[in-house]
Amino acid sequence: MRGHPHDPPMTQRLPHNYELLFRLSREWNDLSVRRDAVATARGWSLVDQVDTLDDVVRATGWYASASERLSVGSSPAAQEAVLTRLVVLARTDDVATRVVLQRLLPGLVAAAKRWQRRHDGDALAELVAAAWLVIRTFPVERR
């Protein structure tokens, strides 16, 4: 019996990075549409319309495709302002922290792939843990 409809079969073992990516992806898919999380994001007043947390991630400058990037048309300065405000909120808000982590995740995955070739251990897990701490404690005022 599987615990979640999107879980891989129990006999299939994924490499550590893939297991973590799978769990993070499943968590994000659930969280991004959860009513309380979306209501929290709407309360930040960072984005005109928030239907899912993906709308907030897009407002920071991450897009699923180049055509999506062209259709949105927000300026890099506006995207930076949203990300900065999220980092400030993330000091005390787990949802804001998770949104920032989601925005950083593609870069963390790329760095983990490079790092994993030279080191033992689970590079992605270490980078995600470090990123969470940095997001929660980043001194925005010093920027």
Side-chain angles (χ1 to χ4, degrees):
M1 181 172 171
R2 293 160 46 179
H4 191 277
H6 303 293
D7 284 345
M10 290 180 136
T11 57
Q12 179 183 354
R13 291 297 302 164
L14 299 171
H16 289 295
N17 284 348
Y18 294 117
E19 285 182 25
L20 178 57
L21 280 175
F22 180 80
R23 287 193 322 264
L24 288 170
S25 177
R26 187 175 66 191
E27 174 192 62
W28 181 256
N29 289 339
D30 292 344
L31 179 66
S32 68
V33 296
R34 217 173 65 202
R35 276 190 265 171
D36 61 327
V38 172
T40 296
R42 287 179 181 146
W44 300 331
S45 301
L46 297 174
V47 180
D48 291 334
Q49 183 173 346
V50 178
D51 295 320
T52 72
L53 296 182
D54 288 320
D55 296 325
V56 182
V57 174
R58 275 191 290 280
T60 68
W62 187 89
Y63 306 101
S65 67
S67 61
E68 185 180 4
R69 178 179 295 133
L70 294 173
S71 69
V72 172
S74 65
S75 72
Q79 295 165 356
E80 181 72 20
V82 170
L83 186 57
T84 299
R85 181 70 182 125
L86 279 168
V87 172
V88 171
L89 290 165
R91 291 176 181 163
T92 59
D93 188 322
D94 289 342
V95 175
T97 306
R98 187 60 179 87
V99 170
V100 175
L101 182 66
Q102 189 67 22
R103 172 62 177 91
L104 299 176
L105 200 53
L108 295 173
V109 170
K113 285 179 183 177
R114 290 188 303 272
W115 188 30
Q116 193 70 47
R117 287 178 254 175
R118 297 183 299 256
H119 303 312
D120 291 331
D122 190 343
L124 183 60
E126 291 180 38
L127 288 172
V128 167
W132 187 272
L133 292 173
V134 170
I135 293 164
R136 294 296 288 230
T137 62
F138 190 79
V140 175
E141 302 78 19
R142 289 198 222 162
R143 288 189 70 226

